[in-house]
Amino acid sequence: MRTLSRGLLATALLALLLAGCAYQPGVVQRVLDDDPATLLEQAQQQEPAQAARSRLDAADILARQGNRTQALEIARQIDSTRLSGDQLARWALLLADLGESQGNPQAVIQATQNLDDLALNRGQTLAMREQRGMALLQVDEPLAAARALLRVQSAADDEALNDPIWSALGNLGRPALARLGEQGDALTRGWVELSETVRNGDGNIERLFVRLDEWRDRHPRHPAARRLPADLIALRELSGQEVQRIAVLLPESGPLSRIAEAIRAGIRTRHDLSDDTNIRLSFIDSASGNLESLYQKAKNRDAQVVIGPLDKDRVSELEQHGQVPLPTLALNYGRAATNEADGLFEYGLSAEHEAEQAARRAWADDHRRAALLVPDNDWGRRVGEAFWNEWRALGGEVTKAVRYNPGAAATESTRRAIAETRPDLLFMLALPEYARQVPPTLDYYGAGNLPVYATSHLFSGRLTPRLDSDLDDVLFLDIPWQIPDAAAGGEDALAFTASYHALHEETDPNLFRLSAMGVDAFELARRLPQFQLVSGSELRGATGTLRLGQDGRLQRTLPWARFVDGVPQPVLTLGVFGDERAP
């Protein structure tokens, strides 16, 4: 955790040292002579307000004696509602200091939750607000952290806050970042513009720094114009080392060859239509040969980055290495709980990730009781568990989990999913033919108003309104290229539009998502240095908004749509079903 900036820290510590004299003359001297154990024993017999003061005195003594762990425990248990005025301020200063020194961000957040109600001077308030921002950053609350730190920087013009502010902004999704800019002052808008400038980079470091210089010209007095965040300074060192040579490991034969060919077509198309004509691709057949020999071939072709492998077993094998021979963008996710291999990044069209997003969306739509309908096979088990785990982590209840036979009619499995305890949503994993049977069955059993959330697999990619009208009102997520009108307001607003048009006209609809994956794989590979160094880097791609997780696995955020008269239509706001659709 970053320490407070020197000026603010000195102010806060001085205030803390003087707190006894400033708050209760004559009392602190008595407290310092008392035994904290005696004070704590007395507190058990005192009325609540006096007991809170006695415990505060005991925590203060223990902290001064160096028993900071015990002091923190006591300070956290004090009922602060029983304190007022100077005593409340003294408690907050002490708890925040103890929480920071003991690495307990929750204690800092507890101490600083009502800063505007504390009897503090300006320096103390700014110091504690900075402590709060740093603590919020530690507990993965980037929006609240950014707001707290920006408020301090707006008042103090402190460049030392640049790095934590940049870190907080880097962990915000694009919508949250945009809202922050709309609601903020000139300082905040400058930060948001800087973040968007970097996020929109194409992997060319020289061009990025030209845009950064243009940003500085527009914001000459901004703290980040005077001193760039450390991530961006480090990125400058990569200038002239942009990715120019990429090796692609894909099988030309075997069970994955058809999938590989669709991905290869996307990579080739995006490369041919790219504005960077210096990038050279080398395609290596990964159907034969071990990983060591494949990497040696890539090195022999002077590759800087590798795209592939595609096979899940081989990605899992790479995860077991401490470090891969070349920076690698694997086209699948390994089986390990987390990826620990240095230089290995993983990207794919994961159904499990879609299920997790569906759980978060349903929760945001105020649903709490979910039924699951998934196929009775390994795919259904993995995806169902992903939804289940995310849903339970959010606090939701699973009323029923039904595994169905994909070759049978949906009538009985759908009935069992909603029997007994009625859910307030149904999560469905199904291919189009099976999925189309579910809503009419819900109607038959009197559950026509039950919201249904699904993954992309229920949509074939072809517009077939007559068939898909049975899916009306089903909410699903999919890649932007597959639902352009729903995702981005029309084809012309899609990422990599020229590649979209070229591939959309030539590709089998069943393989179109994979070609889109190839497009994004090419763009990710050329951006790997930036993704590694700059927190919050993201790609608004053909397959969604892509961000790098802490374990090197790419996370996709997908747009939502629902069927209306058999055609996918946009869903741009939460609460799409509202109260009127509650069963």
Side-chain angles (χ1 to χ4, degrees), residues 246-251 256 259-267 283 286 295 306-316 318 328-334 344-350 514-525 546 552 554:
I246 302 173
V248 184
L249 310 181
L250 286 172
L256 296 176
I259 293 173
E261 181 52 39
I263 295 174
R264 189 182 292 112
I267 294 174
F283 289 91
S286 64
Y295 272 104
V306 167
I307 296 177
L310 175 61
D311 182 80
K312 196 176 191 72
D313 288 338
R314 287 193 160 179
V315 179
S316 299
L318 286 176
T328 300
L329 178 70
L331 297 176
N332 210 328
Y333 297 96
L344 176 63
F345 307 91
E346 299 176 4
Y347 162 59
L349 305 183
S350 167
L514 294 166
S515 293
M517 178 181 168
V519 169
D520 282 353
F522 173 81
E523 290 295 333
L524 287 167
L546 307 176
L554 272 295

Side-chain angles (χ1 to χ4, degrees), residues 480-526:
W481 272 22
Q482 195 75 303
I483 48 173
D485 290 328
E491 294 181 359
D492 292 339
L494 292 173
F496 317 125
T497 309
S499 299
Y500 167 81
H501 286 299
L503 289 164
H504 192 258
E505 295 169 0
E506 301 173 3
T507 307
D508 180 342
N510 293 317
L511 300 174
F512 186 57
R513 292 185 182 91
L514 294 166
S515 293
M517 178 181 168
V519 169
D520 282 353
F522 173 81
E523 290 295 333
L524 287 167
R526 65 191 291 206

Side-chain angles (χ1 to χ4, degrees), residues 7-22:
L8 294 180
L9 180 59
T11 301
L13 290 178
L14 178 61
L16 190 58
L17 290 171
L18 296 177
C21 297

Side-chain angles (χ1 to χ4, degrees), residues 174-215:
R174 195 175 289 268
L177 184 69
R179 287 196 300 272
L180 184 66
E182 293 168 358
Q183 299 165 0
D185 57 10
L187 172 78
T188 301
R189 292 194 297 273
W191 273 112
V192 170
E193 184 183 334
L194 177 63
S195 181
E196 290 175 339
T197 298
V198 175
R199 293 184 187 209
N200 292 333
D202 60 0
N204 187 297
I205 308 301
E206 291 289 349
R207 281 199 291 266
L208 173 61
F209 275 92
V210 168
R211 289 193 289 270
L212 289 178
D213 287 340
E214 293 171 350
W215 176 88

Side-chain angles (χ1 to χ4, degrees), residues 1 63 68-69 71-73 75-76 91-111 131 135 138:
M1 180 176 180
R68 299 180 71 81
T69 300
L72 174 61
E73 182 180 353
R76 290 209 70 183
W91 167 81
L93 285 164
L94 177 63
L95 181 57
D97 175 62
L98 290 169
E100 184 177 42
S101 67
Q102 300 302 108
N104 190 322
Q106 294 291 356
V108 177
I109 294 169
Q110 178 186 352
Q131 286 178 306
Q138 277 195 307

